[in-house]
Amino acid sequence: MEAALNKPPLLTGQYAFFFDFDGTLAKLKPHPSQVSLPDNVQYHLRKLADLSHGALALISGRSINELDKFTQPERYPLAGVHGAERRDINGQQFTLSLPANQMNAIRRKLQAALGDIDGVQIEEKPMAFALHYRHAPGSEPLVHNCAQAITAQYADLTLQQGKCVVEIKPGGVNKGEAVHQFMAEPPFSGRIPVFLGDDLTDEAGFDAVNQYHGVSIKVGQEATCARWRLEDVPAVWSWLSGQVAYFEQQRAITSRRADYESFGRSL
Ligand SMILES: O=P(O)(O)OC[C@H]1O[C@H](O[C@H]2O[C@H](CO)[C@@H](O)[C@H](O)[C@H]2O)[C@H](O)[C@@H](O)[C@@H]1O
């Protein structure tokens, strides 16, 4: 049986922060379009990014385009579609694309198999498809079989399970790879990674962070390879504001100390 996981300790070093989006920063909603990020959460994210010299990224199944809308006017480093697209701190974007004729063929197949099923939603992304069945739980086997048939047909695609969703995404793409890519470059490199996530897609991120002896934090009660746990999204929000308060206090102490020292030298 899995050992009970504790709440993460107060982090007191130099960290690189990686956040999943849906179910971690933002509460789950019946439809993907109903999600939003409260103003105070955006404020704390901005503060944490500033206090960490920009070493904060979102790593999500959503596209970069969508993540930017949730966090505007900020333009954080981002990994979208589980890492199939990534934007670094300088705004340079790396995108893994699928041939247009392949996307078209898959769209047609999905429409034919699932388009008429009440409650099933086909969400198209730049190089992937998310098949939602939150409103048609009985259709899960059909949705799953359909996605599996498509990934069996294309060697460059793979399945990603999530909360009431099955996704068809490019193979070799996962959140762990995205963590490694960010950690190989400034301002992330040399820092201790912290990853917060709630879903199966986040396990690869936890595994990557564990390899750096970092801080992996599972949101929710499911089994995980993460080393710490927070109960739910509001617990993430209060953890975030607590970390910001601590880092701000540390910054104030450091700056007061620097003032005293410079005053002392001027005497
Ligand atoms: O990696 P994430 O940031 O957690 O994104 C995973 C998927 O999240 C979205 O779907 C999920 O959230 C919806 C809104 O709360 C919910 O209605 C749905 O049932 C969930 O599966 C998003 O729509 C997907 O594109 C993301 O891949």
Side-chain angles (χ1 to χ4, degrees), residues 15-20 24-25 48 55-59 77 79 175 178-184 188-189 191-197 205-206 209 212 215 217 239:
Y15 295 91
F17 292 95
F18 300 107
F19 290 89
D20 166 52
T24 297
L25 282 177
L48 188 62
L56 182 150
L58 307 192
I59 301 184
K175 293 190 178 186
V179 167
H180 287 304
Q181 287 158 358
F182 280 123
M183 289 301 291
F188 301 91
S189 48
R191 290 173 166 263
I192 304 166
V194 181
F195 188 101
L196 292 92
F206 298 145
V209 160
Y212 294 90
V215 183
I217 307 174
W239 173 86

Side-chain angles (χ1 to χ4, degrees), residues 130-147:
L131 314 174
H132 295 273
Y133 53 84
R134 186 172 288 277
H135 301 283
S139 302
E140 178 181 354
L142 178 67
V143 170
H144 194 273
N145 290 343
C146 173

Side-chain angles (χ1 to χ4, degrees), residues 57 80 108 112 127 192 198-199 210 262:
R108 278 196 300 273
M127 67 302 281
I192 304 166
D198 73 308
D199 207 349
N210 291 344
S262 108

Side-chain angles (χ1 to χ4, degrees), residues 37-92:
L37 207 51
D39 287 349
N40 67 323
V41 179
Q42 298 208 38
Y43 172 80
H44 286 128
L45 269 185
R46 234 179 356 256
K47 281 275 173 196
L48 188 62
D50 174 39
L51 290 158
S52 314
H53 302 277
L56 182 150
L58 307 192
I59 301 184
S60 170
R62 300 251 187 187
S63 67
I64 282 182
N65 198 23
E66 288 218 330
L67 293 170
D68 271 340
K69 285 183 197 153
F70 289 117
T71 55
Q72 64 179 339
E74 300 305 311
R75 283 178 62 83
Y76 294 111
L78 299 174
V81 195
H82 309 280
E85 47 181 20
R86 195 174 71 86
R87 184 174 73 210
D88 69 14
I89 188 83
N90 300 314
Q92 191 180 351

Side-chain angles (χ1 to χ4, degrees), residues 69-119:
K69 285 183 197 153
F70 289 117
T71 55
Q72 64 179 339
E74 300 305 311
R75 283 178 62 83
Y76 294 111
L78 299 174
V81 195
H82 309 280
E85 47 181 20
R86 195 174 71 86
R87 184 174 73 210
D88 69 14
I89 188 83
N90 300 314
Q92 191 180 351
Q93 192 159 326
F94 311 89
T95 305
L96 204 165
S97 56
L98 294 179
N101 59 350
Q102 189 179 353
M103 288 294 286
N104 293 340
I106 297 171
R107 188 184 309 109
R108 278 196 300 273
K109 280 179 207 290
L110 291 173
Q111 273 303 336
L114 307 173
D116 290 335
I117 301 180
D118 253 10

